Amino acid sequence: MNNLFSQLNKTELQIYDKIQAKQAISIDDGIYLAKNSSLAFCAFLANSIRERLYAKKAFLNVNTHIEISNRCVNKCKFCSFYRKKGDPDCWDLEIDDVLRFLESKSEENLTEVHLTGGLHTEKTSQFYCDLFTEIKKQFPQIHIKAFTAVEIEYFAKSDGLTTEEAISKLKTHGLNSLAGGGAEILDDKIRRKICPEKTNSETWLKVHKIAHQTGLSSNCTMLYGHIESVEDRIYHMAKLRELQEETNGFNCFIQLKYKTYGNRLNIHTEINLPEELKTYAIARIFLHNIPHIKAYWPMTGIENAALAMSYGADDMDGTISDSTKIYSMAGSIEQKPQISKAEMEELISLHGFVPVERDSLYYEVH
Ligand code: V47
């Protein structure tokens, strides 16, 4: 470490002091780290925070993902998942399909179902209320984490409800928290280029704010490694940090590295592993008020996700049960994302961390 310190300049020493004093770093500090500092220094800072918060714990969840349908009225350029009705690889699950699927997983002791889909013209919020009612009847112990802010806003518009009314209706029927997707980069100039039909930045933030005020927590994401700059990433995180200051409703931050296969964005290179690891570290450093940094392995691969635990991340999401296709369709090496709890624990231990099963709100499961 002495060697590392001798190489630091004045700005880096000031950032180090802020972290020691548990202060937030500034936007300029974040940009400085991302553009000028070494991976080793960022990892060192991120780990000092991670260890202060969780010592050697690395969290995992026993969960499954359900993507009800890949039909979507939007055509986001980075998305490899959406299909039109009638396309050969378009799917559309019904309530019974979901219940049968969950029944087939009953021996896994799932504590969470993560449920999302596209913007579907026929599946209204009432469909999901009925689905949640049935899930809660048969599997009352399962936490339902569902929908991106984009889906919530779509339900509200289609059903003629306010955002508050749409969230309350879903919550009354069993919705326990919101997923973090749809944030992409919270900059409307970028959104107009990569996802022109999608809800704008202000609306995405507004939906999460209302959810938090209604008593639902949520996650937040960042889709990076496409047309955005390093500065855009930090400004994005700053918006999340600002909302968190107000509501304290985000449980975790998830960086989603843009995957190039099967979409229309026309970018053919992915960011490399060192940059990915540095982004975890900067997220941990910059998002001082967001408790958890998740390394989502169906996107980055199980080995990289485990490695991210040494770069500031503390959570590996869950066992998944081979039920998400967003990333396999976008070219992830994880074509069948499924891992047992025991395998996940072993991998975490191999990296020198202590595996801890958590529920969706990060309470430890014993
Ligand atoms: O919003 C879509 C991203 C998100 C691509 O809340 C892509 O715990 C990379 O949000 N390359 C959906 N990313 C997934 C999501 C998520 C995943 C895991 C856990 C949680 C959570 C949330 O996936 C979309 C978009 O940002 N995405 N296509 C792509 N080609």
Side-chain angles (χ1 to χ4, degrees), residues 65 78-81 112 114 116 145 148 178-184 198 219-223 252 254 256-261 263 294 296 299 317 326-327 330:
H65 282 225
F78 56 78
C79 180
S80 318
F81 175 80
E112 171 184 283
H114 172 128
T116 51
K145 167 161 65 99
T148 65
L178 294 192
E184 323 314 358
K198 205 164 222 165
N219 294 341
C220 54
T221 56
M222 172 174 79
L223 176 70
C252 78
I254 310 143
L256 298 167
K257 173 168 81 164
Y258 168 63
K259 307 290 295 179
T260 58
Y261 179 78
N263 60 61
K294 180 187 286 191
Y296 184 57
M299 171 271 304
D317 200 273
I326 295 181
Y327 283 97

Side-chain angles (χ1 to χ4, degrees), residues 14 39-40 52 93 105 126 159 175 204 217 248 253 255 262 265 269 280 286 306 320 328-329 342 361:
Q14 282 167 352
L39 174 58
R52 188 161 75 207
L93 302 182
K105 303 283 166 197
Q126 193 53 49
D159 296 357
L175 176 66
W204 189 94
S217 58
N248 203 27
F253 170 80
Q255 60 185 61
L265 200 51
T269 45
Y280 284 110
F286 192 82
I320 310 279
S328 52
M329 290 169 82
L361 302 178

Side-chain angles (χ1 to χ4, degrees), residues 123-134:
K123 287 194 157 69
T124 61
S125 64
Q126 193 53 49
F127 169 85
Y128 289 102
C129 288
D130 295 343
L131 172 64
F132 294 170
T133 303
E134 288 307 315

